[in-house]
Amino acid sequence: MTVTRDYDDEPMTDDELQDAARHLTRRFEDHDKQFLTLMTPQQRAAHERALWMLYHHVDRIWEAPKQAGGPHPVELGGYGAVAGLRDMLDLLLGHLDEVQHNAGDDPDRYRARMVVDELED
């Protein structure tokens, strides 16, 4: 018999959320690097751009309380998932940087551009 449990029954602390994100990313490292190695330099450059865009989005959420003149997010509590995502993205960018370096990529040679189109129903 499988017992289904809502994750909010026993919520993780901010520290546990941040640690879980780091742990998950470290366990993902070999898979990530293997897949990144299969990409072309152009694909890696586009991937890097996408990761940076997501990092900046999460970082804006992290910085918002300070920008509003409030306390540091750590003092507010409830920002463990945000901190964990920032750490996760930082580690993913590190994986990419290592693969680009080992492959001899020149990231400045490529410029990634993202286009968002509205899909018709």
Side-chain angles (χ1 to χ4, degrees), residues 7-19:
Y7 71 92
D8 284 333
D9 287 345
E10 295 177 31
M12 296 172 75
T13 67
D14 284 346
D15 288 341
E16 289 171 333
L17 284 167
Q18 191 170 5
D19 289 344

Side-chain angles (χ1 to χ4, degrees), residues 30 60 71 78 84 92 114 116 120:
D30 290 341
R60 282 192 300 269
L92 291 174
M114 297 189 77
V116 178
E120 295 180 26

Side-chain angles (χ1 to χ4, degrees), residues 64-119:
K66 294 188 284 183
Q67 296 293 327
H72 193 281
V74 171
E75 296 169 15
L76 290 173
Y79 275 77
V82 179
L85 282 172
R86 285 176 79 223
D87 290 350
M88 179 182 287
L89 289 162
D90 187 52
L91 289 168
L92 291 174
L93 284 160
H95 299 168
L96 178 61
D97 184 60
E98 182 180 329
V99 169
Q100 286 175 316
H101 176 77
N102 291 342
D105 290 1
D106 179 7
D108 292 329
R109 185 172 172 202
Y110 305 102
R111 294 288 173 251
R113 182 175 63 146
M114 297 189 77
V115 177
V116 178
D117 290 325
E118 183 177 346
L119 298 176

